[in-house]
Amino acid sequence: VQLVESGGGSVQPGGSLRLFCAASGSIFSRYDMGWYRQTPGKQREWVATITSGGSTNYADSVKGRFTISRDNAKNTVYLQMNSLKPEDTAVYYCITVIATLNYWGQGTQVTVSS
C-alpha cells in the first residue's frame, strides 16, 4: 500500500487548505483512514479518522474546523481545514492500518503564518 499526500502550503491565520491522500490498491474502501500531524521535537499527533463505513472522529483541537472525508471510487481521503491557526502548522501525514501494520505517507507541510 502506498499513500501520497498533497495539498499542503502556506496560508494566513483564518484561511483554509484541503489536503489529499491518494492510496494505491483496490482494497482502499475496506480500511479506516486517518490523518496525523507532527511538529519538530514533538510526537506525532492524531488529528482525525474516517472508518470504512464513513464514521468520523476528530481531536478536540480541530473539532469544528477540520473535516475528513473519503472518495472510495478515487482511492482518496481528504482533510478540509478551515479557520486555520498558527498552532496548526505541522507536517501532516496520512495513515492506514492493515493487518496490524501501519502505512504512512511521506507527509505534506502546512504552515499558518501572517
Side-chain angles (χ1 to χ4, degrees), residues 35-77:
W35 288 95
Y36 278 69
R37 65 187 181 185
Q38 189 171 26
T39 54
K42 293 187 177 181
Q43 286 191 330
R44 207 164 282 192
E45 172 192 27
W46 171 69
V47 175
T49 300
I50 185 165
T51 69
S52 58
S55 297
T56 57
N57 280 292
Y58 299 92
D60 287 343
S61 58
V62 307
K63 200 171 294 184
R65 300 187 298 121
F66 290 11
T67 303
I68 188 171
S69 60
R70 66 192 296 161
D71 185 336
N72 291 334
K74 296 182 178 179
N75 279 12
T76 301
V77 62

Side-chain angles (χ1 to χ4, degrees), residues 86-105:
E87 52 263 42
D88 295 318
T89 296
V91 177
Y92 284 71
Y93 298 89
C94 180
I95 181 177
T96 191
V97 181
I98 301 174
T100 74
L101 295 178
N102 293 342
Y103 293 88
W104 296 93

Side-chain angles (χ1 to χ4, degrees), residues 2-14:
Q2 284 191 315
L3 303 174
V4 179
E5 301 97 334
S6 61
S10 295
V11 64
Q12 292 188 338

